[in-house]
Amino acid sequence: MFDINDIRSQFPILDRSVYNRPLVYLDNAATSQTPRRVVDAIEKSYFETKANVHRGVFSVSQEATELMEATRTRVQKYIGAESRDEIVFTRGTTEAINLVAASYGGTFFKDGDEVILTVMEHHANIVPWQLLQNRVKIVLRPVSINEKGELDIDEYKSFFNEKTRFVAVCHTSNVLGTINPVKELIEIAHGHNVPVLVDGAQAIPHTRIDVKDLDADFYTFSSHKMYGPTGVGVLYGKLKHLSAMPPYQGGGEMIDQVSFEKTTYAEPPLKFEAGTPDFVDIAAFSLALDFLDEVGVENIAAHEKELTEYATKRMIAEIPGIRLFGTAEKKCGVISFLLGHAHHYDTGMLLDKLGIAVRTGHHCAQPLMRYLGIEGTVRASFAVYNTIEEVDTFINALKRVNAMLNG
Ligand code: PMP
């Protein structure tokens, strides 16, 4: 499919060691590593084209603006949006969802309205709606999951009533790896005239997204999970929604005319981009999309699937007492587990001593942890540059750690 050594050579961090062992980086769901071309683009921006965007008449400022705006068009094409005006740059998925909750929810929801979400949501898709509850008394209705971690579609359908105002659902769970049937969920919601926000943070690094085909009203994601720079995220929103929504923050860039008596606002997307944007990182994000296109997200997904299936099979066969969380038919390269009743933190610390980086804890999904009756898990998550040999190292380390904690 692709030359894994060539891929790995593009990520200098993969050459480092931890406790004198080669780093095995398995925390890609939290953030993925960044290829050299992206970092080169950042350096080039700082050394050659750093000037504030959108307002300079001078050449360097215009070049910086062009680089940033070219990325907007690049993102539009990448997700199949109708117009580049539907692409709002944010700090990340979190800010994108906060923007929609505050601006859309704050304007169009009324007391008693219901918002459907799921028990597997990340805090980024729970807390913004709870903050909104300080302004509007909305009711949150989380849909349950089955023992494999798959959404209960019948329950989802049964939640719709005349009070249902909005659906906010993750495309892929960061804990369970479950890939939700978002196209079907959107179709059902639209059948009730209810708009849908999809939190795509965990889906887009390994899924071809076409927002028009999905018919999503809003789709959110973060560059840093897509081999891109930190500090950049995207809110895709249908233009009819973005045009009807009030600004989220006020300041420079987002205005039309300002006076002390009355201020008018710019059109979307600039209406939602108050202040100096992270134009250097936005420009470099383009290079991460080039990387994804070059390798092919389908190939990335297939590679991660192979690693996940291989690792899962070996874990079940070779680690006595292993408890897996999230065994959906359709899942991405995330494995959440516990070694018997050993604390997730102890497992993570010992794995680190063996050079293996995994995430431990509640993964910003405390309601899901409560639902599962646990405090946290250990989570290994794969990316394009991980290898079968790394999975072997991980499994061997896991055997040692299991013997220490449960032997
Ligand atoms: N939603 C999901 C499903 C996530 O996994 C994450 C990141 N862990 C977020 C939202 C938040 O993304 P960010 O921290 O980049 O804003």
Side-chain angles (χ1 to χ4, degrees), residues 29-30 91-95 97 122 124 170 172-174 199 201-202 222 224-225:
R91 281 194 302 118
T93 306
T94 303
E95 189 178 43
I97 300 175
H122 187 279
C170 62
T172 299
S173 159
N174 67 314
D199 167 1
Q202 292 295 341
S222 302
H224 71 93
K225 294 185 197 286

Side-chain angles (χ1 to χ4, degrees), residues 10-11 32-39 41-42 71 74-75 78 204-205 222-230 232 281-297 300 384:
Q10 299 181 47
F11 293 83
S32 53
Q33 299 302 336
T34 307
R36 191 182 291 280
R37 71 179 84 178
V38 173
V39 183
I42 293 170
T71 302
R74 182 81 177 83
V75 172
Y78 193 80
I204 199 162
S222 302
S223 148
H224 71 93
K225 294 185 197 286
M226 306 167 69
Y227 310 103
T230 56
V232 178
D281 291 302
I282 290 171
F285 180 34
S286 222
L287 282 294
L289 297 179
D290 290 350
F291 172 80
L292 283 166
D293 268 346
E294 238 172 73
V295 185
V297 275
I300 295 175
V384 62

Side-chain angles (χ1 to χ4, degrees), residues 242-282:
L242 295 180
S243 298
M245 287 158 59
Y248 167 57
Q249 292 181 331
E253 306 260 344
M254 50 71 74
I255 51 89
D256 173 28
Q257 295 289 327
V258 179
S259 74
F260 282 110
E261 289 69 41
K262 181 176 163 57
T263 289
T264 51
Y265 308 118
E267 294 299 317
L270 292 189
K271 175 164 79 173
F272 300 104
E273 294 180 4
T276 300
D278 189 352
F279 59 88
V280 168
D281 291 302
I282 290 171

